[in-house]
Amino acid sequence: MKIAVLASEGAPYAKSGGLGDVMEALPAALARIPGNEVVLILPYYKKIKENPAYETEQVAQFNVALGWRQQYAGIHALKNRTDGVRVYFIDNLYYFAGRDGVLYGHGDDGERYAYFSKACLDALVALDFIPDVIQCNDWQTAPVPTFLKAQYKPLFPHTKCMFTIHNIEYQGWAQSDFFDDVLALPWEYRGCLDMDGAVNVMKAAIETCDLVTTVSESYARELMYPYYAHGLDGVIGNAAWKLTGITNGIDTDIFNPETDPALPAHYNADTLAAGKAACKAALQQEVGLPVRPDVPLMVMVTRLAGHKGLDLLCHIARRLLWENDCQLLILGTGEHHYEQFFTDLAREFPDQAAAKITFNLGLASRIYAGGDIYLMPSKSEPCGLSQMNAMRYGTVPVVHATGGLKDTVPPVDENGQGGLGFTFQSYNADDFYGALKRCLDLYTDHPQAFRDLQCTDMRQDFSWNIPAGRYMTLFHQMLDR
Ligand code: GLC
């Protein structure tokens, strides 16, 4: 099958969050399936273009018509990828390669990604790669199914399009004149792009694509409710017949405690005790906490954003540290008030709390390995990957039972049996504290049961093999329709 995966980010080239990780592993997993040809198209961001590790060759160039604009696109093929995925970058100085800093948030993102969406379709034509299936992701590539249906059908007569929602919070809203000025679609598409008198590209994608997926089964169900759907519950409800949840995997080659080059010691489920003890001691030392093997070390690697459940943690943090002999370590950047809170907390409890307000992948790995307990109280979580990373490294998760957290962390009882981690049902600080307390008690009072749970977590298969197979089943369903 010929598959084109289109996305605004993909590790290792450019990544701002979980989407980038998925775009690293999913295309590779699809390419491992015999008979598949997989193309991945990404924007040529400045930091990719300037990185000598990514050697490319320009294979096509053309202009993209975007309303009244004619915008250049250069197609650069990556030369040194060895896993069978053909990677192409779309080069445009004005929209991507000439801009510094963050991937998103430039004020004209709507136009930048409408351009990218259209350029991807033009690139597939220029490359003479007319796919059976296009898989596109989140609001940035949400214009693709609508462009495909409205303007590219003759060039892609049999191509089916899957739209995947990684996070419905960001929908690609624009003012109503965006429809004519940038998208320049035929008037009969005005209705599907319209939402409350403005333009919403994610809404249009849900309506015009052949299948909608999201990144966990529970999140697919949650999207029917206003609380989770951020205004799109009605649109999702109408599209329910074509909506499926496929829980993400993680790249188990990259996230592997036996080989991860960032770790001071390596281990697997059989050698967990010694390996993790070494990683924990090194981590405590690295972040300036007392090196104590017996004290439970709670960790979190996260964007410091509200929906990650940080308000719950802030609410109970002092009580948690006063009442329990435990340590807490946070790594991440984000909203200023959270950065300030955790910095203050670390100052107030120097023997118990540490905050690293930075983005550091190596340290993130050392935290997954050196921690005992991983906190993820997200308010909502489409899938979440770090709880799986944590389990892969034998760190027991304590999570809010929502979205992908619910699907990947079945709850244990107070003896640590029957599941993979500790969960709480309602989004409430006391309930979070209760779950944490049960976990801390298991750690302290039943060390063998805690160790067994760590081993069970490490032995789970979180690889992409199963989800990639499910994507294939849906691709076939679309083609058979
Ligand atoms: C988004 C979601 C996260 C998910 C990731 C990859 O970042 O917020 O829950 O794991 O996409 O699908």
Side-chain angles (χ1 to χ4, degrees):
M1 189 183 294
K2 290 172 112 171
I3 303 163
V5 179
L6 315 180
S8 57
E9 59 178 88
Y13 319 110
K15 160 179 156 178
S16 80
L19 173 63
D21 291 309
V22 173
M23 289 302 121
E24 179 168 36
L26 173 61
L30 292 171
R32 278 196 294 272
I33 296 172
N36 281 352
E37 270 183 81
V38 181
V39 157
L40 169 66
I41 309 186
L42 301 167
Y44 211 10
Y45 296 111
K46 185 171 187 178
K47 65 171 192 179
I48 306 179
K49 197 168 179 177
E50 288 180 350
N51 189 332
Y54 307 134
E55 210 189 313
T56 65
E57 173 191 8
Q58 178 159 339
V59 292
Q61 58 173 22
F62 46 80
N63 280 341
V64 178
L66 199 66
W68 49 270
R69 305 162 192 79
Q70 289 289 327
Q71 298 289 23
Y72 169 84
I75 309 303
H76 291 247
L78 183 68
K79 282 189 167 166
N80 49 353
R81 178 127 171 182
T82 52
D83 60 0
V85 180
R86 283 161 60 187
V87 181
Y88 296 97
F89 299 112
I90 302 229
D91 185 29
N92 177 295
L93 206 60
Y94 172 63
Y95 289 127
F96 301 118
R99 298 200 189 194
D100 286 306
V102 288
L103 304 186
Y104 319 124
H106 289 256
D108 60 348
D109 284 0
E111 182 182 322
R112 294 170 70 216
Y113 291 101
Y115 158 82
F116 176 68
S117 297
K118 213 166 184 203
C120 285
L121 292 170
D122 290 339
L124 292 172
V125 174
L127 294 166
D128 196 20
F129 185 87
I130 302 302
D132 299 299
V133 166
I134 293 177
Q135 192 272 338
C136 53
N137 299 279
D138 273 354
W139 72 268
Q140 294 92 335
T141 47
V144 169
T146 313
F147 280 138
L148 187 66
K149 196 167 172 190
Q151 295 173 327
Y152 286 77
K153 211 61 210 163
L155 294 165
F156 296 83
H158 307 296
T159 302
K160 300 287 177 172
C161 188
M162 172 188 282
F163 177 62
T164 300
I165 301 172
H166 297 261
N167 194 339
I168 207 163
E169 239 181 289
Y170 310 102
Q171 300 174 358
W173 284 90
Q175 291 183 353
S176 60
D177 60 356
F178 189 81
F179 180 83
D180 288 319
D181 183 48
V182 177
L183 298 174
L185 283 160
W187 182 249
E188 68 251 39
Y189 286 89
R190 184 69 189 93
C192 88
L193 279 143
D194 180 84
M195 190 149 163
D196 299 337
V199 161
N200 182 319
V201 292
M202 185 177 270
K203 170 179 177 275
I206 295 168
E207 291 184 4
T208 55
C209 71
D210 295 291
L211 274 185
V212 187
T213 65
T214 184
V215 289
S216 70
E217 284 157 53
S218 290
Y219 193 61
R221 281 192 296 276
E222 288 169 353
L223 288 181
M224 307 283 174
Y225 297 95
Y227 179 82
Y228 292 100
H230 295 269
L232 287 179
D233 42 299
V235 177
I236 291 280
N238 288 335
W241 63 273
K242 58 174 176 178
L243 170 68
T244 311
I246 302 179
T247 303
N248 288 329
I250 55 171
D251 191 320
T252 46
D253 293 330
I254 295 176
F255 290 102
N256 182 354
E258 274 188 291
T259 54
D260 188 334
L263 302 189
H266 293 110
Y267 58 94
N268 58 31
D270 298 321
T271 57
L272 175 131
K276 235 176 136 57
C279 288
K280 179 171 174 179
L283 177 64
Q284 287 169 320
Q285 179 137 38
E286 178 175 358
V287 301
L289 286 168
V291 178
R292 290 179 55 196
D294 54 310
V295 67
L297 174 55
M298 297 173 293
V299 296
M300 205 168 171
V301 177
T302 184
R303 255 182 310 119
L304 297 176
H307 75 262
K308 293 292 178 188
L310 295 160
D311 44 348
L312 298 193
L313 182 58
C314 292
H315 197 77
I316 61 164
R318 291 192 166 82
R319 177 175 160 207
L320 181 68
L321 299 179
W322 275 321
E323 290 183 0
N324 301 280
D325 185 15
C326 62
Q327 295 179 341
L328 175 67
L329 165 61
I330 309 275
L331 169 68
T333 60
E335 291 169 27
H336 177 71
H337 58 115
Y338 293 126
E339 296 187 348
Q340 194 61 52
F341 178 91
F342 289 111
T343 308
D344 290 347
L345 192 75
R347 216 171 281 142
E348 201 179 324
F349 295 86
D351 289 341
Q352 284 186 280
K356 297 289 153 199
I357 307 300
T358 170
F359 181 85
N360 180 334
L361 290 174
L363 180 55
S365 273
R366 291 192 286 284
I367 291 177
Y368 291 127
D372 298 302
I373 300 170
Y374 192 82
L375 313 186
M376 205 156 169
S378 308
K379 194 178 234 168
S380 74
E381 194 60 76
C383 178
L385 303 171
S386 44
Q387 79 279 14
M388 291 188 267
N389 297 342
M391 288 189 273
R392 173 109 174 108
Y393 285 62
T395 301
V396 173
V398 177
V399 305
H400 178 212
T402 185
L405 296 175
K406 189 171 170 175
D407 296 349
T408 54
V409 188
V412 291
D413 61 19
E414 63 279 13
N415 302 315
Q417 304 284 320
L420 299 177
F422 291 81
T423 69
F424 60 103
Q425 294 293 328
S426 39
Y427 188 71
N428 164 312
D430 289 323
D431 288 8
F432 177 37
Y433 191 82
L436 256 174
K437 190 77 184 126
R438 278 182 281 131
C439 186
L440 289 170
D441 288 348
L442 187 73
Y443 179 94
T444 315
D445 302 339
H446 304 282
Q448 189 52 48
F450 190 87
R451 181 95 336 141
D452 292 345
L453 178 56
Q454 289 178 299
C455 290
T456 307
D457 285 353
M458 280 196 78
R459 292 205 169 96
Q460 300 307 305
D461 179 5
F462 292 117
S463 76
W464 268 98
N465 297 337
I466 296 167
R470 298 196 59 207
Y471 274 90
M472 287 308 295
T473 307
L474 292 184
F475 291 165
H476 282 293
Q477 263 177 33
M478 289 196 292
L479 294 173
D480 292 346
R481 261 217 302 271

